[in-house]
Amino acid sequence: MKKIIILGALCAAFSAHAAEATPQAALDQFLRFELDGGRLRNDTEGYFEQVHLVDGWKTDALNCDAARCKAVVTFNYTPTAGLDMEQAVPHPKGGSSQVEYTVLQKGGQWQVESGKDTPHVSRVAMEKLLKDGL
């Protein structure tokens, strides 16, 4: 199975990539990075075999307490039935799920705290990445 590479040194990359003046701006920046396949471009941290293919998403309001905010993002998955893409986590009929993100304030800037969960990548971005050979 073709391996999909994740971005190495996630914390440093997210700090540099998603440090923003507001928690909402940091979350929006991270989601653009994530959905464009930004976590698939380096092998320093290991590999993901698959990604969740996403057709759409919606962010709920941030719930903040001092220098820590939580946000729930609802991802709408691409139906994978009949899709010839082994890199996609199976969602035969599509569907959706909610993922909670934590946004922290560090040094006056906000950034998304991220784990090593399976990446969410837009279907359009994934098709382009595969066409371009990752």
Side-chain angles (χ1 to χ4, degrees), residues 16-101:
H17 195 75
E20 296 288 340
T22 68
Q24 186 65 56
L27 182 62
D28 292 346
Q29 178 70 14
F30 174 80
L31 289 173
R32 279 191 298 274
F33 175 75
E34 169 90 335
L35 291 161
D36 270 351
R39 291 175 55 198
L40 308 176
R41 294 191 176 109
N42 191 309
D43 65 352
T44 313
E45 290 287 323
Y47 297 95
F48 281 116
E49 294 284 333
Q50 297 180 312
V51 299
H52 293 286
L53 290 180
V54 175
D55 282 334
W57 60 95
K58 178 183 179 265
T59 305
D60 291 345
L62 287 157
N63 181 8
C64 298
D65 180 19
R68 181 182 195 89
C69 298
K70 297 270 185 184
V72 175
V73 177
T74 302
F75 291 102
N76 298 318
Y77 296 123
T78 301
T80 58
L83 189 63
D84 185 25
M85 190 179 290
E86 64 186 27
Q87 297 86 359
V89 172
H91 295 286
K93 296 182 181 181
S96 65
S97 72
Q98 294 183 323
V99 178
E100 183 177 83
Y101 290 90

Side-chain angles (χ1 to χ4, degrees), residues 92-129:
K93 296 182 181 181
S96 65
S97 72
Q98 294 183 323
V99 178
E100 183 177 83
Y101 290 90
T102 302
V103 185
L104 303 172
Q105 187 177 37
K106 294 181 180 179
Q109 295 289 307
W110 290 90
Q111 60 192 19
V112 173
E113 178 181 69
S114 176
K116 295 181 180 179
D117 58 326
T118 302
H120 289 81
V121 179
S122 80
R123 178 186 50 80
V124 172
M126 189 64 184
E127 287 172 349
K128 184 179 182 326
L129 289 168

